[in-house]
């Protein structure tokens, strides 16, 4: 018996990186997959097909997670197409790094809106669906820098710390209907987001990791699977670091 047979998962920002790995991992355990990203492309069509090879329903939707009304509309469409949503993974995120003394208002607003407001947008839109189902699992992608802070990433760290406060509050509000909400705080994960960092910065991160390697998107997807499934049925309001012991 697969862990997520008959369940439907909605994953934001899944065209590549961690979101894509999560979509593939959950589909491998039998979940139907609705995923979003800013635009649909040949790559997202390929992903739909790859997901469907698991014998599940899979569909991509173009949606900007930072927009409140657009999110409401896409969640309505997904609920109509799939009939239900059991798992919500708020994964979409961006960086616009810089020292506070030089950070522009645009850099601040963009990161807070895409990373933090998007989590509110999707949780707000999915709430009536999960409430009616009397169950569900919401998983929010935070970061170790949301726990510890990071120089030159104050906007990003603030957005990821905000996600933690939001997660714990939602766990307390929604628990009464059997809905769980947890956050994952990945450390240094090798994706296109981190590939843009200069080699010496990447090396300095890896030197600080006791397991002495960057994490893979699959390392994060495995923890997401645990939180999505009934294996974690009594786990809610938690932040799980996936960081090779970097942040302990
Ligand atoms: P990525 O940049 O490879 O993928 C992010 C995806 O989100 C892209 O497909 C992008 O188009 C999409 N996206 C961006 N803005 C969006 C919006 N407004 N609406 C819908 N989709 C949007 O990034 P990666 O590395 O896969 O990161 C995924 C999540 O994990 C992010 O929230 C990131 O902050 C978080 N994270 C990543 C870490 C890393 O080391 N890669 C470490 C800690 C957290």
């Amino acid at each position: 018996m697969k862990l997520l047979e008959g369940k439907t998962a909605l994953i934001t920002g899944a065209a590549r990186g961690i979101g894509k790995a999560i979509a593939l991992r959950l589909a491998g355990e039998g979940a139907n997959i609705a995923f979003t990203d800013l635009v649909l492309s040949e790559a997202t069509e390929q992903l739909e097909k790859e997901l469907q090879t698991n014998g599940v329903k899979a569909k991509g939707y173009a949606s900007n997670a930072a927009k409140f009304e657009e999110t409401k509309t896409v969640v309505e469409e997904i609920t109509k197409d799939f009939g239900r949503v059991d798992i919500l993974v708020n994964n979409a995120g961006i960086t616009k790094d810089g020292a506070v003394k030089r950070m522009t208002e645009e850099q601040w607003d963009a990161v807070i809106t895409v990373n933090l407001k998007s989590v509110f947008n999707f949780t707000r839109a999915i709430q009536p669906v999960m409430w009616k189902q009397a169950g569900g699992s919401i998983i929010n992608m935070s970061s170790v820098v949301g726990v510890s802070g990071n120089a030159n990433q104050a906007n990003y760290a603030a957005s990821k710390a905000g996600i933690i406060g939001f997660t714990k509050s939602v766990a307390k509000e929604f628990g009464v209907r059997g809905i769980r909400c947890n956050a994952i705080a990945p450390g240094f994960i090798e994706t296109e987001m981190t590939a843009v960092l200069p080699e010496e910065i990447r090396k300095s991160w890896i030197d600080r990791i006791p397991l002495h390697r960057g994490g893979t998107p699959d390392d994060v997807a495995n923890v997401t699977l645990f939180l999505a499934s009934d294996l974690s049925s009594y786990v809610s309001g938690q932040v799980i670091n996936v960081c090779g012991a970097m942040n302990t």
Side-chain angles (χ1 to χ4, degrees), residues 12-19 36-38 63-66 90-94 114-115 141-144 156 160 185-194:
T12 68
R16 66 180 206 187
I18 294 172
T36 73
D37 214 291
L38 285 170
S63 130
N64 183 346
N90 283 309
N91 167 78
I94 57 166
V114 174
N115 293 6
M141 214 47 75
S142 179
S143 164
V144 290
Y156 184 76
K160 296 300 187 181
F188 184 81
I189 310 296
E190 307 265 11
T191 67
E192 285 167 66
M193 185 185 259
T194 47

Side-chain angles (χ1 to χ4, degrees), residues 140-151 153 156-161 164 183-189 194 205 208-209 220 239-248:
N140 298 325
M141 214 47 75
S142 179
S143 164
V144 290
V145 311
V147 180
S148 307
N150 197 26
Q153 281 199 311
Y156 184 76
S159 72
K160 296 300 187 181
I164 292 173
I184 297 177
F188 184 81
I189 310 296
T194 47
W205 274 88
R208 280 158 45 203
I209 301 170
V220 180
V239 184
I240 303 188
N241 288 10
V242 181
C243 65
M246 180 177 75
N247 210 51
T248 47

